[in-house]
Amino acid sequence: MSANHPFREFVSRLYPRSRGPKTRPGLVKRGPKVRSVAGQVFLLQAALVVLLAVAAVVSLVLQVRRDSTEEARRRTLSVAQTFANAPGTAAALDGPDPTAVLQPRAEAIREAADVAFVVVSNTQGIRYTHPDPDLIGKRVLGPYEKVVQGTPLTTELDASVGPAVDSTVPVFRSDGTVAGIVGVEITLGDINQSVSRQIPVILGGTAGGLVFALGGSALVNRRLTRQTRGLGPAEMTRMYVHHDAVLHAVREGVLIVDGKGRLVLANDEARRLLGLPPDAEECLVAECGLHARIAELLESGRPATDEVVPVGERLLAVNVRVTGDHGGPPGAVATLRDTTELAAVIGRAEAVRERLLLLYEAGKMIGSTLDVTTTAAELTRVATPRFSDFATVDLAESVFRGDEPRESDGTVVEVRRAAVAGLRDDHPLHPPGRVTGIVPTSPGSLGGGERHSLPEANVETVLGWYEQDPAHARRIIESGFHSVLAVPLHARGVVLGLVSFWRSQNPAPFDADDEVFARELAARAAVCVDNARRYTREHQTAVTLQRSLLPSGLPGQNALDIAYRYVPAEAGVGGDWFDVIPLPGARVALVVGDVVGHGLHAAATMGRLRTAVHNFAALDLPADELLARLDELVARLDQEGGADSAEIAGATCLYAIYDPVAGRCSLSRAGHPSPALVLPDGSVHFPGSPVGLPLGVGGGLPFEAVDLDLPAGSRLVLYTDGLVETRGRDIDEGMELLCRGLARAGRTPEETCADVLATLPSGPSDDDVVLLVAGTRVLDPSGVAVWDVERDPAAVSRVRREVIGRLAEWGLDEEAFVTELILSELLTNAVRYGTDPVRVRLLRDRTLICEVSDGSSTAPHLRYAATTDEGGRGLFLVAQLADRWGTRYTETGKVIWSEQTLSPLPRAPLPLTPPT
């Protein structure tokens, strides 16, 4: 009930009529005029404020005068020490004329500090300063021997002008000796004058506070007078005469209980609502027939606000207020309102609000992940138990694979249970993963034409879905299921599945309002399921593309013992890749790269870069030059992509070339992490190799390469940043874990990969991880033969004979004839057209490698010679005889090489003339 309700005013003034003798209306008893309580409070407050102000002033003055001596001692000592320690004081005492320097300073300090005098004297007591110039040069009166020894002295004395305090301190030189003394004196009269000057201020402040306090008391008195409205006996009598009429006319029940628990007043509305007897007043609350809950509220002595109490078929809103809390007599006042019709409206509004809140929570909970099964499970958890007792989601088989389901042309659609949730676990509904293969056969069925929900009061009418499993249908009915609401999951005009809401413990069947809510909930969930389905399809496409672009195996070579691990990211397809590329001369190139981002674009970019690396490696470029060309390619791809295509956000790459003949590795980095080198003794090092900017962002800046000498049995470890840096772990911690997993001797690369991944923390990764471990080998020196050749045609035959002899030592007599032809052609061209130095190198590895190098950078070209040409057939013969051949450039010239397979393979007959 409102605070301004007229009954409050009546009730608060009701009891005074029973405390004194009754007075007839119109008769007012006159008596001596009594001052109001507000006036008495005002006078009392004023007296207290004045008394406190006077006491404060007297106490302050006495306290200040009592502390004047202590203040004088502190002031004189402080002034004396300040002057003695001031810069230049000691030097002035040792100067030729101390008085000329110190007298002005002393007088300035005396006036500023408001002291009687500041006297500076030497260690014999001869004054250098004094307010009276006649006393300068005379000896100081009083003891100063202790001061000369370095001890400050403060004394109280009776001077000619009254009590005074004198403080004397020594002046020390920089070496610690005493150069003189400083004495400061102040009279207690000066201190008292300072205090006396403050008394007017104190009195003024006290007077201001007194005026402020009296003004506040006056305002309080005025407010109290206004709140009592100045009511006199006549006005109170009129209120008593008319309060009954007002109480009878109001459409709200009023009950008044006194401090003894008796019902003092019950108006007509209260009697009607509660059915009270005529003699209910003046009896105890517990005995007058009140409802037990209302009686308990009245007797409890606590306030209550709009507590709903059912009384028969009515819902009464009860408000209780304690009269004693407001200055009235002890007791309580209760008001009653009939809210039966309002409760029904509020109940419907509350149900709507609950449904809206459930839809809001569904929008937050459903679709938290892009997984079809998880999204279906979130839908069932939202629906139970606030909407249904159980919920099931069945999806078409194609949805789990990421495909879009087709319209069903029959009565059964192949669906599989995706999720189920309910009030208990021992339910007869099919578990997740079960292929149900069922659809409703009514017009609203999955695949039907109308596609609307099916609220059913009787579950038996829709259990025709389970006609192929009647035993299961009976178990559902026997378990107490009585109502089911089936809603298809629509998205973009396609039915993805079916969500069913079941009730067993809730006795109310589903109605039309439930159908509207279920359709809205299913519509929101269907969009999330479709998003998850499309993501599944795109993810599988990207994974397929990525797997097709990554190397399916390792090529055959003898230079390195290689093992690798590729761990895809949990969040999506990434752009990490690696490669092992055999190069001429028994060398091997190792490549590890990382494209920024995830998804199809990152996978496609990775495939393009991997193809480009293979093409550049075929040119046998140095590591730094290969990265420079790759960087140029990435920049060109971004420029040619256009506005509609996605740019390459950035990529890192590490390219290393290992030569097993020299046991040397040349590597270059483009924004990639530094490789790790594990020596044969198990120690781990990170070679200090220069790092360039990532590909595509360097603006054409050059890359640098570094050469590393790798002992046989070392392990070169290449990796991407996903191995050492994750969202919950910084790179320093990752590098420490990597070192811990590598630091062990005598392990194979395969064991090293397993140990490194076991050392790192397990769990889903947000980035791809590539780990490539290469154990180094050195080619047996007995399998390497080198000849330096003079540029003399006669030297060709000599080298040819020595090469045939070396092949005989290696047991390769069958390869001698072909090797002699290849070597004769390559060496003759080098001697005839090349420049010094000319060198021949023969390598026995998986293949027989023949290399002829010279100082010229001009490479020969393979061409078809005409029948009338005398030359031009040499390289054609080399291409026919060798399995592979080519040219690579070095810092000092070029190398023309050929490879012959050592295993016995049938060879095609060589044509004597090139084809026309």
Side-chain angles (χ1 to χ4, degrees):
M1 190 166 67
S2 173
N4 295 326
H5 201 283
F7 297 127
R8 293 286 173 81
E9 190 172 355
F10 292 142
V11 171
S12 63
R13 293 167 173 81
L14 182 62
Y15 281 100
R17 68 184 177 93
S18 61
R19 294 297 180 90
K22 297 184 178 180
T23 306
R24 287 181 299 170
L27 298 179
V28 179
K29 183 178 180 179
R30 300 291 183 177
K33 185 177 181 180
V34 180
R35 186 180 303 273
S36 65
V37 175
Q40 295 177 0
V41 171
F42 173 76
L43 292 178
L44 179 61
Q45 288 180 344
L48 288 176
V49 169
V50 172
L51 180 61
L52 291 175
V54 172
V57 171
V58 173
S59 299
L60 181 61
V61 172
L62 293 177
Q63 180 69 26
V64 170
R65 292 186 180 277
R66 185 181 63 186
D67 295 339
S68 60
T69 302
E70 185 64 24
E71 175 63 21
R73 296 173 66 90
R74 286 196 301 267
R75 186 188 299 184
T76 55
L77 184 60
S78 175
V79 171
Q81 290 179 342
T82 301
F83 191 91
N85 296 327
T89 302
L93 288 171
D94 295 334
D97 191 358
T99 300
V101 177
L102 298 178
Q103 177 68 10
R105 296 183 184 180
E107 290 301 304
I109 290 296
R110 181 180 64 82
E111 295 178 0
D114 195 16
V115 296
F117 62 78
V118 177
V119 176
V120 181
S121 59
N122 59 12
T123 56
Q124 287 77 30
I126 304 301
R127 297 188 182 96
Y128 289 143
T129 65
H130 197 278
D132 187 1
D134 295 336
L135 298 179
I136 296 175
K138 297 183 179 180
R139 186 177 298 276
V140 176
L141 299 178
Y144 57 88
E145 291 78 6
K146 291 185 179 180
V147 180
V148 173
Q149 295 176 1
T151 303
L153 181 63
T154 301
T155 58
E156 298 180 12
L157 50 88
D158 293 327
S160 58
V161 294
V165 176
D166 181 86
S167 293
T168 306
V169 298
V171 179
F172 294 97
R173 297 186 181 91
S174 59
D175 58 356
T177 60
V178 177
I181 57 177
V182 176
V184 177
E185 182 177 300
I186 187 171
T187 62
L188 296 181
D190 295 336
I191 297 296
N192 294 333
Q193 287 180 359
S194 176
V195 174
S196 299
R197 287 194 298 268
Q198 297 178 6
I199 291 178
V201 177
I202 297 173
L203 294 178
T206 304
L210 180 61
V211 172
F212 181 81
L214 293 177
S217 299
L219 292 176
V220 171
N221 179 55
R222 181 179 178 183
R223 182 175 181 85
L224 290 175
T225 303
R226 184 174 64 252
Q227 289 180 346
T228 56
R229 301 173 184 257
L231 292 176
E235 288 80 3
M236 294 296 295
T237 301
R238 273 197 308 275
M239 288 181 62
Y240 168 71
V241 170
H242 298 291
H243 83 284
D244 287 342
V246 177
L247 288 177
H248 293 315
V250 72
R251 296 292 298 171
E252 189 167 335
V254 178
L255 298 175
I256 300 178
V257 179
D258 62 10
K260 298 179 180 179
R262 293 179 304 172
L263 181 62
V264 178
L265 175 66
N267 69 341
D268 295 346
E269 185 68 11
R271 294 175 184 273
R272 184 183 70 84
L273 294 176
L274 299 176
L276 295 177
D279 57 348
E281 295 183 354
E282 300 300 332
C283 67
L284 295 177
V285 171
E287 300 175 356
C288 60
L290 288 176
H291 188 273
R293 177 60 178 163
I294 297 178
E296 187 273 332
L297 288 175
L298 293 174
E299 292 177 341
S300 63
R302 64 176 180 85
T305 302
D306 288 337
E307 290 197 16
V308 179
V309 179
V311 179
E313 297 181 354
R314 304 178 189 274
L315 292 177
L316 303 182
V318 181
N319 291 272
V320 179
R321 293 295 182 269
V322 180
T323 58
D325 295 343
H326 304 282
V333 178
T335 60
L336 311 173
R337 291 198 315 273
D338 189 357
T339 62
T340 305
E341 296 180 357
L342 180 61
V345 176
I346 292 175
R348 289 194 295 271
E350 182 65 22
V352 173
R353 188 190 70 82
E354 181 68 20
R355 293 290 172 85
L356 291 176
L357 180 61
L358 187 57
L359 286 177
Y360 170 74
E361 294 179 357
K364 293 193 304 180
M365 295 177 58
I366 301 177
S368 61
T369 64
L370 291 175
D371 181 73
V372 174
T373 305
T374 303
T375 303
E378 291 170 346
L379 171 58
T380 59
R381 287 197 296 268
V382 168
T384 56
R386 296 167 64 179
F387 177 66
S388 63
D389 298 334
F390 295 87
T392 60
V393 176
D394 300 315
L395 299 177
E397 283 287 347
S398 57
V399 175
F400 292 96
R401 299 190 300 268
D403 299 330
E404 188 173 278
R406 297 180 179 180
E407 284 289 334
S408 173
D409 54 358
T411 59
V412 176
V413 172
E414 189 72 16
V415 293
R416 179 156 54 95
R417 181 61 48 85
V420 59
L423 298 179
R424 63 182 190 273
D425 296 333
D426 56 338
H427 55 78
L429 301 176
H430 289 311
R434 173 74 176 269
V435 177
T436 57
I438 56 172
V439 293
T441 57
S442 61
S445 64
L446 181 64
E450 298 183 4
R451 293 181 184 165
H452 61 274
S453 57
L454 301 173
E456 297 290 348
N458 187 359
V459 72
E460 295 182 358
T461 61
V462 292
L463 285 183
W465 308 345
Y466 295 89
E467 59 184 2
Q468 69 275 17
D469 190 0
H472 184 211
R474 285 194 302 270
R475 286 196 302 271
I476 291 178
I477 297 175
E478 292 171 358
S479 298
F481 289 85
H482 62 83
S483 185
V484 60
L485 178 60
V487 183
L489 295 171
H490 297 278
R492 299 182 297 107
V494 177
V495 178
L496 305 175
L498 185 72
V499 54
S500 300
F501 305 101
W502 306 77
R503 283 184 179 174
S504 60
Q505 297 185 10
N506 187 351
F510 291 108
D511 54 19
D513 293 337
D514 295 329
E515 177 186 354
V516 174
F517 172 77
R519 292 171 60 184
E520 178 66 24
L521 181 61
R524 298 191 181 193
V527 175
C528 297
V529 171
D530 188 60
N531 290 338
R533 178 196 63 79
R534 298 173 66 182
Y535 171 79
T536 301
R537 181 186 61 190
E538 294 179 1
H539 181 71
Q540 290 178 351
T541 302
V543 169
T544 302
L545 173 63
Q546 183 192 37
R547 290 177 179 175
S548 65
L549 295 176
L550 288 172
S552 57
L554 298 177
Q557 47 82 33
N558 290 337
L560 297 171
D561 181 14
I562 296 177
Y564 68 91
R565 293 290 187 275
Y566 180 83
V567 182
E570 295 288 338
V573 175
D576 294 14
W577 90 93
F578 68 96
D579 259 315
V580 179
I581 306 174
L583 298 178
R587 297 169 303 143
V588 177
L590 302 177
V591 188
V592 174
D594 183 5
V595 178
V596 176
H598 293 83
L600 284 174
H601 178 66
T605 302
M606 176 267 289
R608 300 169 74 178
L609 295 182
R610 181 169 177 257
T611 303
V613 170
H614 272 271
N615 291 333
F616 291 145
L619 300 177
D620 208 348
L621 300 175
D624 53 348
E625 185 176 348
L626 185 142
L627 290 184
R629 295 198 181 188
L630 195 61
D631 178 66
E632 181 182 356
L633 173 65
V634 172
R636 187 166 62 252
L637 291 177
D638 282 341
Q639 294 174 0
E640 296 175 355
D644 297 334
S645 62
E647 295 184 355
I648 300 176
T652 65
C653 184
L654 186 151
Y655 187 81
I657 301 175
Y658 176 68
D659 185 358
V661 178
R664 177 169 296 179
C665 178
S666 175
L667 63 88
S668 182
R669 295 190 291 149
H672 204 79
S674 174
L677 178 61
V678 184
L679 296 179
D681 60 358
S683 59
V684 181
H685 302 276
F686 291 90
S689 57
V691 57
L693 294 175
L695 300 176
V697 299
L701 294 177
F703 295 92
E704 298 183 49
V706 63
D707 292 333
L708 304 176
D709 291 326
L710 305 182
S714 301
R715 283 166 289 166
L716 186 63
V717 181
L718 310 182
Y719 53 90
T720 57
D721 58 355
L723 181 69
V724 296
E725 185 177 11
T726 60
R727 184 173 301 174
R729 183 181 72 242
D730 58 16
I731 190 171
D732 294 335
E733 182 181 355
M735 296 297 288
E736 182 179 353
L737 292 176
L738 176 61
C739 292
R740 191 183 306 168
L742 294 174
R744 188 183 301 174
R747 290 183 300 173
T748 64
E750 188 68 29
E751 294 172 344
T752 301
C753 288
D755 290 345
V756 169
L757 293 184
T759 303
L760 296 176
S762 60
S765 174
D766 54 2
D767 195 6
D768 293 355
V769 174
V770 170
L771 176 63
L772 185 65
V773 180
T776 60
R777 299 172 180 169
V778 177
L779 195 62
D780 188 359
S782 63
V784 180
V786 180
W787 294 271
D788 292 326
V789 183
E790 303 87 0
R791 293 188 63 245
D792 183 3
V796 176
S797 60
R798 176 184 59 82
V799 174
R800 190 168 55 237
R801 288 192 303 269
E802 294 180 3
V803 168
I804 293 174
R806 183 57 62 92
L807 292 177
E809 295 177 4
W810 290 346
L812 302 177
D813 295 324
E814 294 181 1
E815 306 293 336
F817 176 72
V818 176
T819 305
E820 183 179 5
L821 291 178
I822 293 174
L823 177 64
S824 179
E825 180 60 33
L826 297 181
L827 185 57
T828 301
N829 287 339
V831 170
R832 181 179 299 177
Y833 303 110
T835 60
D836 290 329
V838 179
R839 176 174 294 181
V840 175
R841 189 171 71 163
L842 205 63
L843 304 177
R844 185 185 63 179
D845 192 35
R846 297 172 66 92
T847 61
L848 180 62
I849 303 171
C850 180
E851 298 179 346
V852 178
S853 62
D854 65 87
S856 173
S857 59
T858 303
H861 297 281
L862 178 66
R863 65 186 180 88
Y864 292 102
T867 56
T868 57
D869 292 342
E870 296 182 358
R873 297 177 178 83
L875 287 181
F876 181 78
L877 291 175
V878 172
Q880 293 295 319
L881 294 173
D883 296 293
R884 294 175 58 204
W885 78 280
T887 303
R888 73 173 185 269
Y889 294 93
T890 64
E891 296 179 358
T892 58
K894 67 177 182 298
V895 176
I896 303 177
W897 55 271
S898 67
E899 291 185 2
Q900 300 166 244
T901 303
L902 297 180
S903 58
L905 294 176
R907 295 183 180 275
L910 298 177
L912 298 179
T913 59
T916 58

